[in-house]
Amino acid sequence: MKFLVSNIFFFITTTIVIFVIVSGFYTGFIFYVAMIISWLGFLYCAYSYYKNSERLINPTTCFCLSVFVFLVSRPFLSLLMGDEVISIGLGITEENIIKATLFVMWSFYLINIFYCFFDKPAKFILNGMPDIKIKSYTWSNVFLLFSLFLSFLFLKNSYFNYNVLSNNENYFSFISSLDFSYFRYFFISKYFLILYIVLSKSNKSLLISTSILFLSSLGFMAIGLRGYTIAYLFLFLLAYDVKYKIKLIPLIVLSLSLIILSASVLSFRLGFDVFENDSYLSIILKTIAQQGATFEVVFGAVNFLDEINKCISYYDYFIQGIPFGDCVDVSRGVYFAEGGFASSFFAELVFFWPILILIIPLFSFCLKLLSLSYDQILSSGSEKKSSILLVFFLLPNLVYFARSSVFDFIEKTIISIFFILFISLVIKIIRKKDA
C-alpha cells in the first residue's frame, strides 16, 4: 500500500509540473525541481522493488534498470558531467528536455500504479496454467548435449568473424558483407535448452540452461553486438541469484567490469579508442550516458509529434512496417546515411497516445505475471516448469524493453503463454497414446 500511495503522489506531482510547463510557466528553477523529483521518485521505486524480494536481480529491478540505463541516465548524468543531453537535431532546449524526462517518469509511475492492482488477476492466470509434469533423464541430457554442440558451432563461427573484423578498418561497412546465417545455431540451441528444462529432473535446470546461453552469447559480443550478451547475462544472474543470492559488492564489481568491456566493444566497432586518456570513472559515466541515447528518441516523440504523424500513420506502422525510429529522426532534423537512434517503448507510447491507457495496464499486467513467476521459482525451489519457462522466455526482453517496440514485451508474454499451453497439450496427447 505504501508503494502504491507513493507512486500516486509522484504521479500527481509530475502531472502538475507537466501542466505548469505546458501552460507556459517554465523557468530554469522548474528544470532542477523536476529533475530532483524525478530522481528521488525513481530511486524510491527501484529500492522498493528490491526490498520486496530482497534479491538484487529480479524482474522488477530489471525493469527499473532498463528505464535508467536506456533513458533517464542521460538527463541525470548530464547534471553531473555537464555534457549535452541531446547530441543532434532541432528544438534542443531545457524546456523540451524536461518535457521528455517528465513524460518518461509519468509513464513509469503509471506502470507502477497499475502493477499494484494486478496481483489477483496475474495469480489467476499463473495458477491456471498447467504445470508440466514430465521428466526424462535420458532425453533431457540428449537435448543438453545437442545444445552444447550447437553453442560450440556458434562460438567457433563468431571467433572466425572476430578475426576478420579485427583486421578490417571499417567495421560498419565490412560487417554487412559477412555471412551471419550461423546465428541459427544459437537460437536452435536455445530451443534445445527449452526441451531440456521441460524434461529435466534437476532443480538447477534454469541455472544450467542460462549459463550455457550466456556463455554462448559471448559470440555476439565478439563481433560487436553487445545487446544479446548483456540480456542473457542478466538472465543468468537471476538464475544464479535464485540459488545462491548474489551479494551487492560482487554485483557492483561485475557491473563496472561489464561497462568497461562494453566501452571496449564500442571502440572495436568504431575502429579507434573512444575513451583515450579517460579515467575509469569517466569511461563508466560516458558509457552509461552513451547507452542513454534512446532518450533522444523520446525527446523527438514528445516534442515533434505533429511532424511524426505526417511521416508515419498507424497503417504505415502495422501494415507497411515503416520504422518508427527513422521518422522520429527525420522529424527532429536528424538525417543519418545509415543507422539511427532506433525506437523506444516510451517514444511509441507518445505516438499511440489514444490507446496509452490500454497499453500501460497491459504492460503492467505482463510485468506482474513475470514477477509472480519469479516468486514461484523462489518459493518452490524451481519445481514449477511453467514459471521457469516464463522467466526464461521473457527476462531478456524485459532488460531491453525501454529501447524496444511498445508492443514487444506484451506480444512476447502472450506468445510465451500460448507456447507453454501448446507444450502441455502435446505432452497430454503423448501420454494418452502411451496409456
Side-chain angles (χ1 to χ4, degrees):
M1 180 59 72
K2 182 180 177 182
F3 180 73
L4 173 61
V5 172
S6 299
N7 272 277
I8 291 174
F9 167 77
F10 285 121
F11 175 78
I12 293 173
T13 304
T14 303
T15 303
I16 292 171
V17 176
I18 291 173
F19 179 77
V20 169
I21 293 173
V22 172
S23 299
F25 296 102
Y26 176 80
T27 64
F29 174 73
I30 289 179
F31 175 85
Y32 289 101
V33 169
M35 290 296 287
I36 292 170
I37 291 173
S38 298
W39 183 237
L40 291 175
F42 180 83
L43 287 177
Y44 169 79
C45 292
Y47 180 73
S48 298
Y49 277 134
Y50 156 69
K51 288 298 292 183
N52 187 51
S53 68
E54 293 291 342
R55 302 279 177 156
L56 291 167
I57 306 293
N58 65 67
T60 50
T61 57
C62 287
F63 160 68
C64 293
L65 182 71
S66 185
V67 174
F68 174 75
V69 171
F70 297 121
L71 290 168
V72 297
S73 63
R74 180 69 76 90
F76 287 162
L77 289 178
S78 69
L79 293 178
L80 298 175
M81 301 168 60
D83 289 346
E84 293 179 339
V85 180
I86 304 299
S87 61
I88 190 171
L90 304 173
I92 305 175
T93 64
E94 274 191 357
E95 181 177 351
N96 287 340
I97 289 169
I98 202 62
K99 282 180 186 177
T101 305
L102 289 172
F103 176 78
V104 171
M105 297 310 302
W106 182 87
S107 305
F108 176 73
Y109 299 136
L110 196 56
I111 290 171
N112 294 335
I113 290 168
F114 279 108
Y115 176 88
C116 296
F117 288 105
F118 283 127
D119 193 64
K120 288 184 178 180
K123 281 182 179 177
F124 176 80
I125 296 294
L126 196 60
N127 293 333
M129 291 181 65
D131 195 11
I132 302 169
K133 296 182 178 179
I134 182 171
K135 297 179 181 179
S136 172
Y137 178 81
T138 302
W139 280 107
S140 65
N141 286 336
V142 168
F143 291 135
L144 187 62
L145 288 173
F146 278 147
S147 176
L148 287 169
F149 175 68
L150 290 168
S151 296
F152 168 75
L153 291 178
F154 174 72
L155 288 170
K156 179 184 175 183
N157 280 272
S158 290
Y159 178 71
F160 171 80
N161 280 336
Y162 165 76
N163 286 330
V164 173
L165 289 168
S166 60
N167 292 320
N168 191 278
E169 292 183 358
N170 194 325
Y171 170 90
F172 290 102
S173 64
F174 198 71
I175 194 171
S176 59
S177 66
L178 293 178
D179 179 17
F180 293 113
S181 60
Y182 73 91
F183 279 16
R184 67 181 182 272
Y185 296 140
F186 177 85
F187 294 106
I188 296 173
S189 169
K190 184 177 178 180
Y191 295 141
F192 279 122
L193 286 175
I194 292 169
L195 293 173
Y196 165 71
I197 291 173
V198 170
L199 297 173
S200 177
K201 294 181 178 181
S202 172
N203 63 357
K204 294 183 180 180
S205 61
L206 180 62
L207 179 59
I208 293 170
S209 300
T210 55
S211 60
I212 293 172
L213 207 56
F214 164 62
L215 291 173
S216 179
S217 72
L218 292 173
F220 289 112
M221 180 77 82
I223 58 172
L225 304 177
R226 299 169 292 181
Y228 284 106
T229 305
I230 293 172
Y232 288 113
L233 169 63
F234 276 96
L235 179 60
F236 164 71
L237 289 175
L238 180 140
Y240 186 88
D241 193 41
V242 166
K243 284 294 176 185
Y244 302 109
K245 197 171 185 180
I246 299 174
K247 303 297 182 184
L248 179 61
I249 299 302
L251 185 61
I252 291 174
V253 172
L254 177 63
S255 300
L256 295 178
S257 302
L258 181 65
I259 291 170
I260 293 171
L261 178 61
S262 182
S264 301
V265 172
L266 178 62
S267 297
F268 166 68
R269 289 169 61 172
L270 296 177
F272 62 92
D273 189 353
V274 180
F275 306 101
E276 187 176 4
N277 300 322
D278 282 338
S279 64
Y280 281 117
L281 178 60
S282 179
I283 292 173
I284 290 166
L285 292 177
K286 285 182 178 179
T287 303
I288 295 174
Q290 184 263 336
Q291 288 297 312
T294 306
F295 181 79
E296 302 213 18
V297 190
V298 181
F299 172 86
V302 169
N303 296 292
F304 296 91
L305 182 59
D306 291 339
E307 287 78 6
I308 293 169
N309 285 328
K310 294 175 185 176
C311 175
I312 184 173
S313 66
Y314 294 153
Y315 176 84
D316 296 329
Y317 181 96
F318 289 111
I319 307 301
Q320 299 293 332
I322 293 177
F324 175 76
D326 290 354
C327 278
V328 176
D329 290 343
V330 172
S331 297
R332 66 186 190 93
V334 178
Y335 304 93
F336 289 111
E338 55 182 350
F341 289 101
S343 191
S344 166
F345 173 90
F346 293 93
E348 293 191 17
L349 266 184
V350 179
F351 180 61
F352 287 103
W353 66 266
I355 56 171
L356 179 147
I357 200 61
L358 297 176
I359 295 172
I360 286 184
L362 276 173
F363 181 89
S364 299
F365 176 80
C366 294
L367 179 62
K368 173 63 79 170
L369 189 69
L370 178 58
S371 181
L372 290 176
S373 299
Y374 169 78
D375 291 342
Q376 280 196 349
I377 295 173
L378 280 178
S379 61
S380 67
S382 302
E383 287 296 325
K384 190 164 184 181
K385 298 292 179 67
S386 57
S387 296
I388 295 173
L389 289 173
L390 276 175
V391 171
F392 187 79
F393 292 149
L394 297 176
L395 192 86
N397 181 262
L398 181 63
V399 171
Y400 270 79
F401 96 91
R403 62 185 305 177
S404 301
S405 158
V406 72
F407 301 107
D408 195 46
F409 182 66
I410 297 169
E411 286 177 359
K412 283 187 170 61
T413 302
I414 295 170
I415 291 170
S416 297
I417 291 171
F418 278 105
F419 184 75
I420 293 169
L421 293 174
F422 173 74
I423 291 176
S424 176
L425 180 62
V426 170
I427 291 172
K428 281 184 179 180
I429 292 172
I430 293 173
R431 280 178 168 173
K432 281 184 179 180
K433 286 184 177 181
D434 292 340

